Amino acid sequence: MDSKRVVSIIGTGSYVPEKVLTNQDLAEMVETTDEWIHSRTGMRERHIAADGQATSDLGAAAAEKAIADAGISVDEIDLIIVATLSPDMFFPSTACFVQDKIGAKNAFCYDLGAACSGFLYALETAKNQIAAGAVKTALVIGSEKMSTFIDWEDRSTCILFGDGAGAAVLQAGGEGRGVMDAVMGSDGSLADLLWTPGGGSRNPISREMIDQKQHFLKMQGREVFKHAVVRMGDTVLQALEKNGVSSDDIKCFIPHQANVRIIDSIAKRLGVVGRMYTNVEKYANTSSAALAIALDEAVKDGAIVKGDLVVLTVFGGGFTWGANVLEWNK
Ligand code: COA
């Protein structure tokens, strides 16, 4: 492990669209209340992209902030990975659109699909490409326009999601251990508990498919909740063990921002209450952007400082899950 090349996060950034949709606003759209939503999820509001704004627009805005924070020239970026489940279009990749917007002409670009777990998967993928010596500098983005495929008449799902993007610049080198090894897992047999069944090759776009609202996100909330608590808890313990650190050494745990009750349950199980970072109140669940935004905010508001050990953990459709450990060295 020690002979591996160190890979560091040298800059972060995030962006959420201007429009805010509060629980109160939702109560005027579907039969719900601020009290119900807040007590079940911890959410108060979420941001919603403008009609003309696509996922790559959100991602590019976050990326520009991360690049400025890293203090590098855009020409130095060798690789762009965008984690998303709401791409601008089936192809080309959203990463290619981001590349064009930010002018990163020396980068090669691709998208990564791991639903809400995408940012951590992309971080691990980029880290390994850097550690292998294939690239020196990578831009990793989680970006989502969830509002596009939410059924705004379904109160069990429409309250849960928001739009936004977060980004990180990774580079070879740095003090300490930087981005350590991730533990990741998936279980495709549970795909139908959280998915968007229509619009792809299995169930192509048709009048009938749209009439049946198959192009909207569908979820078995209680089942997802249970699996998320178990998987994120287990995988954090595995990642700590893999990297030879104890939970007592960790300054801050940054979980996927899906529901504050999920986060609290994991904190209790791991005995780390008070060390979990959460901003779900402001943004709701922004899928692959959630971890990226939370990481950026944790750094910017001083919850993480140089030398701190940090755990990231995610869970999402697939099912997919994962965790890794960072030594924050910026
Ligand atoms: N407002 C008011 N009532 C609502 C509601 C809303 N927005 N949404 C659902 N309800 C109702 C249900 O119809 C149900 O009524 P019933 O008992 O008469 O059938 C009742 O509230 C309880 O529903 P239930 O689904 O059991 O609630 P819950 O406590 O499990 O909370 C979630 C629902 C969705 C908040 C919760 O299950 C959850 O967060 N799951 C994980 C979702 C997630 O994180 N997904 C993404 C993972 S990446």
Side-chain angles (χ1 to χ4, degrees):
M1 190 172 14
D2 292 339
S3 61
K4 275 189 193 166
R5 189 182 299 225
V6 174
V7 178
S8 302
I9 295 179
I10 61 165
T12 59
S14 57
Y15 169 83
V16 289
E18 247 171 67
K19 184 179 168 188
V20 174
L21 188 72
T22 65
N23 291 350
Q24 219 64 58
D25 296 329
L26 282 164
E28 287 167 24
M29 296 160 60
V30 290
E31 203 182 328
T32 192
T33 60
D34 172 51
E35 199 281 322
W36 194 95
I37 300 171
H38 190 255
S39 64
R40 295 295 202 294
T41 68
M43 298 166 187
R44 287 277 187 214
E45 57 190 37
R46 66 283 300 136
H47 290 246
I48 302 295
D51 284 345
Q53 248 179 338
T55 295
S56 67
D57 299 319
L58 312 183
E64 277 168 353
K65 292 186 190 177
I67 293 163
D69 188 44
I72 60 162
S73 151
V74 78
D75 294 340
E76 291 178 59
I77 298 168
D78 305 309
L79 163 66
I80 300 175
I81 308 176
V82 173
T84 189
L85 53 70
S86 51
D88 286 22
M89 43 189 86
F90 278 140
F91 79 91
S93 69
T94 300
C96 282
F97 289 120
V98 170
Q99 176 203 29
D100 183 47
K101 281 181 218 300
I102 66 174
K105 56 184 185 303
N106 296 324
F108 67 97
C109 311
Y110 57 92
D111 288 357
L112 185 150
C116 298
S117 303
F119 184 73
L120 189 140
Y121 278 47
L123 213 55
E124 175 69 1
T125 304
K127 183 205 81 180
N128 287 329
Q129 283 183 257
I130 295 170
V135 301
K136 182 170 174 245
T137 305
L139 171 63
V140 174
I141 301 169
S143 186
E144 304 285 6
K145 188 178 178 184
M146 299 298 288
S147 56
T148 318
F149 60 97
I150 295 300
D151 180 355
W152 291 102
E153 294 178 348
D154 175 9
R155 69 177 182 172
S156 70
T157 53
C158 75
I159 57 151
L160 295 173
F161 297 95
D163 299 335
V169 178
L170 277 73
Q171 201 165 60
E175 294 167 30
R177 296 176 68 183
V179 184
M180 300 183 209
D181 289 331
V183 174
M184 303 184 297
S186 306
D187 184 350
S189 73
L190 301 172
D192 62 349
L193 296 178
L194 176 56
W195 66 359
T196 300
S201 58
R202 171 70 58 203
N203 186 4
I205 297 166
S206 69
R207 209 172 288 274
E208 195 190 359
M209 183 280 285
I210 291 171
D211 288 345
Q212 292 169 353
K213 296 187 164 193
Q214 298 288 306
H215 57 305
F216 289 136
L217 180 146
K218 313 278 179 202
M219 184 181 66
Q220 304 293 323
R222 266 188 221 178
E223 285 303 308
V224 174
F225 190 108
K226 281 188 276 181
H227 283 278
V229 170
V230 172
R231 291 302 190 184
M232 281 196 277
D234 287 352
T235 197
V236 165
L237 294 174
Q238 290 161 8
L240 291 171
E241 192 182 344
K242 185 171 185 179
N243 290 294
V245 291
S246 133
S247 66
D248 295 339
D249 303 327
I250 305 300
K251 167 81 175 303
C252 184
F253 293 79
I254 309 183
H256 173 48
Q257 304 289 311
N259 183 321
V260 82
R261 289 191 298 134
I262 294 177
I263 295 172
D264 288 346
S265 302
I266 300 166
K268 274 190 204 125
R269 183 182 158 202
L270 299 180
V272 301
V273 173
R275 283 186 282 155
M276 283 275 183
Y277 191 85
T278 169
N279 61 12
V280 72
E281 188 171 50
K282 296 187 286 181
Y283 306 124
N285 181 348
T286 56
S287 186
S288 70
L291 177 65
I293 296 172
L295 175 63
D296 181 48
E297 291 202 340
V299 173
K300 302 284 155 64
D301 70 21
I304 302 173
V305 296
K306 191 169 181 180
D308 285 343
L309 290 179
V310 180
V311 164
L312 311 181
T313 183
V314 287
F315 180 84
F319 286 151
T320 53
W321 59 87
N324 68 0
V325 186
L326 314 174
E327 180 174 343
W328 194 255
N329 55 5
K330 182 175 156 53

